[in-house]
Amino acid sequence: MQVSNRIVASHPLDPLAADEITRVASVVRASTEFAALSERIRFITFDLREPAKEDVIAWERERATLPAREAEVVLLDKGDGSTHEVVVSLDEGVPVSWRRLEGVQPMAVVAELTEAEELVRLDPRFQAALQRRGITDFEGIQVDAWPAGHFGHPDEEGMRLARCVAFVRPHPRDNDWAHPIDGVIALVDLNRVEVLRVDDHGVVPVPEESGNFDPEAVGRLRDDVRPLEITQPDGPSFTVEGNTVHWQRWQLHVGFTAREGLVLNRVRYRDGNRLRSVLHRASLSEMVVPYGDPSPMHYFKNAFDAGENGVGVAASSLTLGCDCLGEIYYFDATVSDYEGNPVPIPNAICMHEEDFGVLWRHIEWRTGEGEVRRSRRLVISSFSAIGNYDYGFFWYLYQDGTIEYEVKLTGVLSTGAVPPGERPRHGVLVAPGLNAMVHQHYFNMRLDLDVDGVENTVEEVWTEPVPAGRENPHGNAFVARRRPLERESEAQRRVDLASARWWEITNPHVRHRLGEAVAYRLVPGENTVPFAQPDASVMKRAGFIHNHLWVTPYDPDERYSAGEYPNQHPGAAGLPEWTAADRRIADRDVVVWYTFGHHHVPRPEDWPVMPVARIGFSLKPVGFFERNPALDVPPPLPHEGHCEPGRHREAQAEDGR
Ligand SMILES: [Cu+2]
């Protein structure tokens, strides 16, 4: 099943459609401000300027006309390096505001990176460095442009830069990451389109072993895999209107932005005749992947894949049978190119239902009788291929009110070379001479939870042992304790296994029948902490990785945890900057920011392509419902199997065994 691009928005949070991007670009081009810019103006991103939250809620309630529809556009003038933020009214067809910014770098776009890569490949200094390594076929070289980061080098100030490393790629489909050309690195000025420098830190032989993983390279494939078909003879259990999805008790809106990719809006649960709010908006606000190797080839690798490259821009078109299996509904997405033209990404988001094992079960051991229900989840996902890595972003909704988020990490490791016989100190050999450096992947989620209403209080919950003595005569006692987080400074916290720490987003104004505030619990999953020094560049630029939990009062302008423009930013932007005001967060509209990190010491098994690693967290109702909300899930239908607990026990008894 597939949907074509919508012409008219039907929901205030619908992403910009292709025709809207075209219209916005022409409004921008026709403006007097645009005429004053250089000829080297480039369009970086187009996104919906989301209407005020209260307007969205009012629209839902009254179903009146849509709130004013506006777009926000980021432009880069490569002539003078200035950045421009333009808000365009789609209703009026005019620019509403135009803001000129100096000294920031909007995200890099694919066209300028490929331009830089080609420039380096043809550069005589670069070619001379390759010749010193016996490489003379420059056609078979793949240059890889990385975000430059910010390391305080005075000669790099104010320039828009990329650092370029290179790989031998004997043919276009070859896995070039298997053949890193160590020691050579080029610095490119992206605005002037000029190679500033080529540094050669010494020759290291290029690893030769192939890292290809296509069937031809793999050889004989296993022959014991029989067909597995997923069929839903009556179709899936969800319905879709525009970008609004209804699935069993859940209702939500699927959004998409160039920077964050997949966004969930207005996630609500129908409980009897009440449609209860859980999340207003949830998205991946930033990512960063710091590498732990200090060598000149790798120290700068701190890719901010959302703010520097755009997770949405990099979203893949998903294919049935490969990325998704079964009865699939696809949402298309639209991003833009350098010239301001819409670029469709058909099938950017995949939605389907999955059987997820047992939902709940009890069989009475004395009688062998009982009840079992199977769990089903709604999966909404997208995949982005960013450089060597591929990231899958998966939201799961469950029948028991749980929401789960999972990132799937796969793709190819970032590599370097080490001389024959040497073992890398900051990495792992994954093939002869091939170094896969240690690194971490941090993700930060912006979770605008509205649990049963807008005003919420986040509470920390932890468990402590009771000291031995009169209150704990047998030594077994422990208690779960809780405290509200009143101010931003109290809500900068790390996961702590020793105290079983977690956080609950409560609504103190809505109490369940036993008297406690209704809540959703943020249940941490796998996590890690940074190992970079406190004054390292990445620690300043990705301040959000200091803590797993941050809570801020809702502010629609506080969107990205490392700030609006992390590309080459010196640091301290985003969460550390906003929370310095130490605002009150109790009993108000709050945003929860959750950081989770995958600590990656590579394994040989991660080569030549990495089996998916999963990391995420879940949001679970706590006293939001009065009891298990999934009691009403029906037993499986007869054609799905013979789910009659106790049947085998009876058969055994009849056999007299
Ligand atoms: Cu990794």
Side-chain angles (χ1 to χ4, degrees):
M1 202 182 335
Q2 224 167 297
V3 285
S4 60
N5 227 321
R6 145 190 63 76
I7 306 297
V8 183
S10 60
H11 188 285
L13 298 174
D14 280 347
L16 293 186
D19 63 318
E20 290 179 314
I21 290 175
T22 305
R23 243 183 98 216
V24 170
S26 65
V27 169
V28 169
R29 278 200 209 92
S31 67
T32 48
E33 291 89 344
F34 189 84
L37 301 176
S38 88
E39 292 204 336
R40 301 183 58 230
I41 189 80
R42 296 287 184 270
F43 289 83
I44 304 292
T45 51
F46 289 77
D47 274 306
L48 173 74
R49 174 114 184 131
E50 293 183 8
K53 182 168 169 175
E54 57 268 26
D55 292 347
V56 176
I57 295 172
W59 173 83
E60 271 171 2
R61 204 171 37 231
E62 289 146 28
R63 288 289 158 152
T65 51
L66 286 173
R69 195 155 165 86
E70 294 180 339
E72 51 183 44
V73 187
V74 176
L75 300 166
L76 169 69
D77 187 343
K78 289 170 84 77
D80 64 7
S82 60
T83 297
H84 301 260
E85 292 176 344
V86 190
V87 176
V88 171
S89 161
L90 275 153
D91 305 325
E92 317 273 325
V94 292
V96 175
S97 69
W98 191 296
R99 191 164 157 234
R100 179 192 174 95
L101 298 168
E102 305 284 350
V104 302
Q105 299 298 341
M107 67 168 71
V109 293
V110 173
E112 66 181 341
L113 295 181
T114 51
E115 190 176 50
E117 291 170 359
E118 188 60 5
L119 206 63
V120 169
R121 204 171 58 81
L122 301 175
D123 186 271
R125 293 161 291 180
F126 176 75
Q127 294 189 347
L130 295 198
Q131 275 165 336
R132 285 195 285 279
R133 287 156 174 79
I135 301 167
T136 50
D137 172 17
F138 307 125
E139 286 293 315
I141 296 301
Q142 177 65 55
V143 178
D144 188 29
W146 279 72
H150 187 282
F151 298 93
H153 305 313
D155 56 341
E156 296 182 1
E157 280 307 313
M159 283 185 276
R160 183 168 173 82
L161 300 168
R163 293 182 208 279
C164 296
V165 295
F167 300 81
V168 174
R169 178 173 254 173
H171 61 87
R173 281 183 55 82
D174 196 76
N175 176 6
D176 57 319
W177 314 100
H179 314 298
I181 302 169
D182 216 278
V184 187
I185 181 157
L187 184 68
V188 178
D189 183 328
L190 296 172
N191 280 352
R192 279 156 57 196
V193 195
E194 187 184 317
V195 180
L196 297 174
R197 233 178 38 226
V198 177
D199 296 325
D200 191 342
H201 299 278
V203 176
V204 181
V206 176
E208 287 180 4
E209 188 180 284
S210 167
N212 292 350
F213 45 84
D214 54 308
E216 206 176 298
V218 171
R220 201 177 126 91
L221 302 180
R222 55 183 77 183
D223 57 8
D224 50 359
V225 184
R226 297 197 181 128
L228 189 155
E229 287 178 6
I230 295 168
T231 53
Q232 294 188 275
D234 300 333
S237 316
F238 52 73
T239 57
V240 185
E241 295 164 55
N243 280 41
T244 300
V245 177
H246 297 256
W247 179 69
Q248 300 192 25
R249 304 278 188 261
W250 289 104
Q251 180 178 321
L252 64 126
H253 176 272
V254 177
F256 188 91
T257 72
R259 182 158 168 172
E260 306 154 286
L262 179 55
V263 179
L264 293 195
N265 294 309
R266 306 300 299 151
V267 181
R268 291 175 290 167
Y269 192 96
R270 184 164 293 286
D271 182 12
N273 54 13
R274 287 187 300 161
L275 191 55
R276 301 175 66 189
S277 161
V278 179
L279 271 166
H280 170 68
R281 189 183 193 279
S283 67
L284 175 73
S285 99
E286 193 52 270
M287 302 179 39
V288 65
V289 187
Y291 281 76
D293 186 320
S295 81
M297 294 301 290
H298 308 300
Y299 77 94
F300 62 88
K301 292 182 175 174
N302 295 320
F304 289 66
D305 289 326
E308 288 180 337
N309 294 97
V311 164
V313 174
S316 311
S317 280
L318 303 171
T319 51
L320 186 64
C322 295
D323 303 294
C324 333
L325 189 62
E327 280 285 321
I328 305 297
Y329 188 92
Y330 292 106
F331 295 95
D332 297 339
T334 309
V335 292
S336 59
D337 68 12
Y338 227 22
E339 313 299 327
N341 302 306
V343 175
I345 308 177
N347 299 1
I349 298 167
C350 157
M351 180 169 73
H352 68 280
E353 287 179 290
E354 268 176 13
D355 177 271
F356 196 62
V358 169
L359 168 63
W360 53 260
R361 174 187 200 273
H362 180 63
I363 303 301
E364 183 57 39
W365 67 271
R366 292 179 186 83
T367 62
E369 285 176 11
E371 298 285 339
V372 184
R373 296 293 180 273
R374 288 201 68 79
S375 176
R376 198 182 289 196
R377 62 182 186 181
L378 181 70
V379 187
I380 305 172
S381 67
S382 74
F383 252 101
S384 295
I386 306 172
N388 49 305
Y389 255 94
D390 293 53
Y391 294 99
F393 304 101
F394 283 66
W395 284 102
Y396 305 107
L397 300 181
Y398 293 86
Q399 291 160 308
D400 69 348
T402 298
I403 301 171
E404 188 182 359
Y405 183 72
E406 184 176 72
V407 180
K408 297 186 182 186
L409 301 92
T410 179
V412 181
L413 293 162
S414 177
T415 54
V418 289
E422 262 184 40
R423 289 190 178 277
R425 180 168 152 77
H426 304 281
V428 174
L429 281 183
V430 292
L434 190 65
N435 176 14
M437 295 75 68
V438 294
H439 61 279
Q440 301 182 303
H441 303 252
Y442 285 101
F443 306 88
N444 181 269
M445 303 300 294
R446 182 180 183 276
L447 304 169
D448 181 359
L449 286 131
D450 283 358
V451 176
D452 247 347
V454 169
E455 264 92 51
N456 290 165
T457 297
V458 180
E459 296 189 357
E460 180 159 298
V461 181
W462 73 99
T463 295
E464 53 187 43
V466 176
R470 209 164 55 83
E471 289 187 356
N472 188 13
H474 310 291
N476 65 306
F478 57 89
V479 285
R481 302 190 55 197
R482 59 170 60 231
R483 72 183 168 98
L485 303 175
E486 305 273 356
R487 305 201 81 89
E488 287 178 303
S489 58
E490 295 169 41
Q492 296 173 14
R493 305 291 288 162
R494 282 187 176 181
V495 169
D496 178 39
L497 198 58
S499 66
R501 183 182 295 157
W502 61 65
W503 301 280
E504 293 183 359
I505 297 83
T506 72
N507 187 329
H509 307 287
V510 183
R511 308 237 157 216
H512 63 71
R513 65 183 176 130
L514 304 172
E516 305 289 346
V518 299
Y520 256 78
R521 177 181 300 164
L522 171 59
V523 183
E526 179 192 326
N527 218 325
T528 189
V529 294
F531 290 88
Q533 294 298 315
D535 59 350
S537 168
V538 69
M539 296 303 288
K540 290 185 263 185
R541 299 181 57 223
F544 67 88
I545 66 177
H546 280 276
N547 299 303
H548 298 129
L549 179 89
W550 302 73
V551 184
T552 57
Y554 171 76
D555 180 340
D557 292 331
E558 294 178 359
R559 306 192 287 184
Y560 311 118
S561 48
E564 286 283 321
Y565 298 103
N567 194 4
Q568 294 182 241
H569 195 280
L575 282 167
E577 184 184 357
W578 307 324
T579 57
D582 200 16
R583 295 166 290 186
R584 190 178 60 78
I585 50 171
D587 195 14
R588 63 190 294 187
D589 189 1
V590 290
V591 177
V592 172
W593 309 74
Y594 180 62
T595 304
F596 54 101
H598 177 64
H599 188 73
H600 197 175
V601 178
R603 309 170 298 152
E605 290 87 345
D606 290 338
W607 185 258
V609 63
M610 200 178 122
V612 163
R614 297 174 174 79
I615 182 169
F617 63 96
S618 50
L619 295 165
K620 282 185 168 292
V622 179
F624 188 82
F625 302 105
E626 294 190 346
R627 54 215 303 243
N628 181 349
L631 292 181
D632 62 349
V633 171
L637 299 168
H639 71 263
E640 290 173 320
H642 301 284
C643 178
E644 295 168 44
R647 198 168 60 88
H648 299 293
R649 182 74 70 99
E650 280 160 25
Q652 279 176 358
E654 278 163 24
D655 286 357
R657 276 178 289 163

